Amino acid sequence: MGWLSTFTFVLIPSLALLILIFLLVRVIEGRRSPSVEEELQKSKEAEDEITNAIEALNRGGPVEYCRCLASIVRRYLSRKYGIDAKSMSTGEIISKLLPDLSNRDIDYAGEILRMCEMVQFYRYKPSRSELKHLLQLTRELISERKDEG
């Protein structure tokens, strides 16, 4: 009967403790902040989206370009603030998120989305400098800088 009591009082609790530690480590890893590799991957994806927008300008003109930029901005806002920005108008996004949006996000996202709406829906013909400005604002918005004012 010696082996049975050893099994019951030593091996089973040890096994249970190992399982508990394993599960605890898995939960803690799930809550960790994004790694440097994940941040670099996000940055690369953002630059790829910007490149696609520039190609859209060359391929389809300002309307297609603005559609791409608006999509990038809406996806950014959806991820950062946990909303379904893709199905909302610019006014709805700004009014819904006004208490939560940083000043930078309000200014940049509002300007980008409003200009893109004018180009897409009201046939506004932006100048080259306006198109460059939209690109610069989009890059700055999605760059995740911490200087919010």
Side-chain angles (χ1 to χ4, degrees):
M1 283 297 211
W3 67 270
L4 185 58
S5 63
T6 301
F7 182 76
T8 305
F9 294 110
V10 175
L11 293 177
I12 291 178
S14 297
L15 185 61
L17 185 61
L18 286 174
I19 291 172
L20 184 63
I21 290 171
F22 173 76
L23 292 174
L24 188 60
V25 167
R26 297 279 310 252
V27 167
I28 290 171
E29 283 181 356
R31 292 183 184 169
R32 67 181 168 80
S33 62
S35 68
V36 172
E37 293 84 17
E38 291 169 336
E39 291 298 325
L40 288 173
Q41 180 64 28
K42 282 183 186 178
S43 177
K44 184 183 177 328
E45 289 173 4
E47 274 307 311
D48 289 345
E49 290 177 332
I50 295 287
T51 302
N52 290 340
I54 294 169
E55 290 171 2
L57 175 61
N58 296 330
R59 193 178 56 244
V63 173
E64 188 63 29
Y65 175 72
C66 285
R67 188 174 294 123
C68 288
L69 291 182
S71 176
I72 292 168
V73 171
R74 289 174 184 279
R75 195 169 21 262
Y76 166 80
L77 294 173
S78 294
R79 288 178 187 160
K80 185 170 180 179
Y81 296 101
I83 62 163
D84 184 20
K86 293 175 188 173
S87 66
M88 299 167 74
S89 70
T90 300
E92 289 173 324
I93 292 169
I94 301 300
S95 65
K96 179 173 180 129
L97 293 178
L98 197 55
D100 299 325
L101 283 174
S102 69
N103 288 340
R104 181 180 68 102
D105 286 355
I106 291 170
D107 294 342
Y108 289 15
E111 185 172 347
I112 295 163
L113 293 174
R114 285 186 183 105
M115 177 64 82
C116 287
E117 281 182 357
M118 288 173 45
V119 171
Q120 288 178 269
F121 304 116
Y122 302 109
R123 298 181 188 185
Y124 177 73
K125 302 287 186 207
S127 67
R128 281 198 150 324
S129 64
E130 287 174 312
L131 294 173
K132 279 183 174 179
H133 182 65
L134 283 178
L135 181 63
Q136 180 183 5
L137 287 177
T138 303
R139 275 196 169 116
E140 290 179 23
L141 177 68
I142 64 177
S143 71
E144 291 293 330
R145 291 179 318 170
K146 300 299 180 205
D147 58 341
E148 299 174 0

